[in-house]
């Protein structure tokens, strides 16, 4: 079965040095994935819900924006193609077969075949990453450098993945290897806001996208932000967007994006 899939991403081309990648916002499912999901996975609980809405100001600010169409339960765009683990601690893989809490993502014997998963790698994962690479090259050619912001969100408490309550803003730069220290410090300053907590390179140091494309020595600076979902939405079903909370955090996120756009390498 080699049925073609729609283009696996949505893209808006901006006019600044910033590309925003949102790899876990997708909710589309190929039929065989949808049919095989467990009851626990069917509501797509580990999705980075509503991030396109939360950052809907970014295009008007001049950022390029790339968002995934397909759910991470089809293939995880923020994992390496060889599925090598990014963390020594608990995580999920290129083809997630469990939820973040360890619950099976598929009914017994119903996970997609190796052939279908190879198809997802070719037709979903690779086009998304080709677009990142092409856009970063275009931006660098125009500006002399490029900035990549990999935007994520997650429940604030997931005992299998981390202890306690996650800070609101979790900035990751692969321990300083994916972005200039000056940029990171400016972003951390933005996140040092009343009523919010932040950390730099804590539990989330940046996934494959941050680590693969961040190359400061060659003009590519990549930063991940893992945002606690409690800052803008309900973390349990029905995962609804909470306008009052979102409107409190959006000004800070705008300053975060403004900082990414306005910063220039020394």
């Amino acid at each position: 079965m080699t049925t073609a899939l729609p283009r696996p991403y949505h893209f808006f081309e901006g006019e600044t040095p910033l590309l925003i990648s949102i790899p876990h916002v997708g909710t589309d499912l190929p039929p065989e994935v949808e049919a095989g999901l467990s009851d626990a996975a069917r509501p797509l609980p580990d999705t980075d819900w509503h991030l396109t809405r939360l950052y809907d100001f970014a295009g008007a600010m001049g950022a390029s924006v790339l968002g995934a169409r397909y759910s991470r339960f089809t293939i995880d765009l923020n994992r390496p193609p060889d599925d090598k683990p990014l963390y020594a601690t608990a995580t999920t893989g290129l083809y997630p077969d469990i939820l973040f809490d360890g619950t099976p993502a598929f009914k017994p014997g119903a996970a997609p075949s190796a052939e279908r998963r190879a198809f997802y790698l070719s037709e979903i994962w690779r086009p998304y990453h080709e677009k990142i690479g092409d856009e970063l090259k275009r931006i660098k050619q125009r500006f002399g450098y490029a900035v990549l912001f990999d935007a994520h969100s997650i429940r604030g408490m997931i005992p299998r993945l981390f202890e306690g309550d996650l800070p609101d803003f979790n900035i990751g730069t692969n321990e300083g290897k994916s972005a200039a220290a000056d940029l990171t410090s400016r972003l951390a300053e933005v996140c040092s806001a009343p009523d919010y907590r932040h950390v730099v390179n804590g539990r989330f140091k940046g996934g494959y996208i941050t680590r693969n494309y961040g190359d400061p020595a060659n003009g590519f600076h990549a930063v991940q932000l893992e945002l606690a979902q409690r800052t803008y939405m309900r973390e349990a079903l029905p995962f609804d967007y909470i306008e009052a909370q979102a409107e409190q955090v959006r000004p800070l996120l705008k300053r975060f994006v403004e900082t990414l756009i306005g910063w220039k390498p020394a």
Side-chain angles (χ1 to χ4, degrees):
M1 182 169 58
T2 58
T3 304
L5 296 173
R7 190 170 72 170
Y9 56 78
H10 305 281
F11 178 69
F12 171 82
E13 183 176 312
E15 297 291 330
T16 71
L18 177 63
L19 168 63
I20 300 178
S21 160
I22 315 178
H24 292 155
V25 75
T27 56
D28 284 9
L29 297 163
E32 64 276 10
V33 175
E34 184 172 15
L37 287 177
S38 65
D39 289 342
R42 195 167 296 280
L44 307 182
D46 298 338
T47 301
D48 290 5
W49 291 105
H50 311 298
L51 285 191
T52 302
R53 178 178 180 181
L54 194 66
Y55 288 99
D56 65 4
F57 54 80
M61 295 173 66
S64 296
V65 183
L66 177 66
R69 175 189 296 271
Y70 287 95
S71 168
R72 69 190 302 164
F73 290 114
T74 304
I75 189 168
D76 192 328
L77 300 172
N78 201 29
R79 299 293 184 269
D82 63 3
D83 205 13
K84 184 177 180 180
L86 296 172
Y87 293 97
T89 51
T91 186
T92 54
L94 179 65
Y95 305 104
D97 56 4
I98 57 173
L99 307 185
F100 286 161
D101 64 5
T103 303
F106 290 92
K107 294 177 286 190
S113 67
E115 178 184 6
R116 289 305 291 170
R117 286 179 164 176
F119 178 72
Y120 307 150
L121 182 67
S122 172
E123 301 302 315
I124 298 175
W125 192 98
R126 294 198 186 282
Y128 191 90
H129 283 270
E130 287 170 0
K131 191 62 179 178
I132 292 178
D134 290 346
E135 182 64 5
L136 290 177
K137 290 176 185 176
R138 180 193 70 81
I139 290 172
K140 187 186 176 187
Q141 184 174 24
R142 177 174 175 181
F143 295 97
Y145 67 100
V147 179
L148 172 63
F149 171 33
D150 205 43
H152 295 262
S153 71
I154 193 169
R155 298 195 307 278
M157 298 188 71
I158 307 177
R160 179 178 171 271
L161 298 187
F162 50 83
E163 293 183 3
D165 193 16
L166 198 68
D168 303 292
F169 302 97
N170 301 266
I171 300 169
T173 62
N174 192 23
E175 300 288 9
K177 299 174 186 175
S178 70
D182 176 60
L183 174 58
T184 305
S185 65
R186 293 189 190 193
L187 294 171
E189 185 177 352
V190 170
C191 294
S192 299
D195 302 321
Y196 292 109
R197 294 178 294 130
H198 78 281
V199 67
V200 177
N201 292 311
R203 169 60 178 85
F204 296 98
K205 307 177 190 301
Y208 176 75
I209 290 172
T210 304
R211 302 182 196 199
N212 185 62
Y213 296 102
D215 184 6
N218 288 302
F220 298 100
H221 300 264
V223 176
Q224 176 178 295
L225 178 64
E226 193 79 63
L227 179 67
Q229 290 179 338
R230 63 173 175 269
T231 61
Y232 71 95
M233 62 168 278
R234 194 179 311 279
E235 295 188 341
L237 282 168
F239 306 124
D240 46 327
Y241 189 87
I242 302 177
E243 188 77 32
Q245 291 173 209
E247 288 308 305
Q248 288 182 10
V249 77
R250 270 163 56 91
L252 192 151
L253 295 175
K254 287 181 181 179
R255 292 196 294 274
F256 195 93
V257 171
E258 285 172 351
T259 301
L260 289 163
I261 290 174
W263 176 84
K264 294 182 179 180

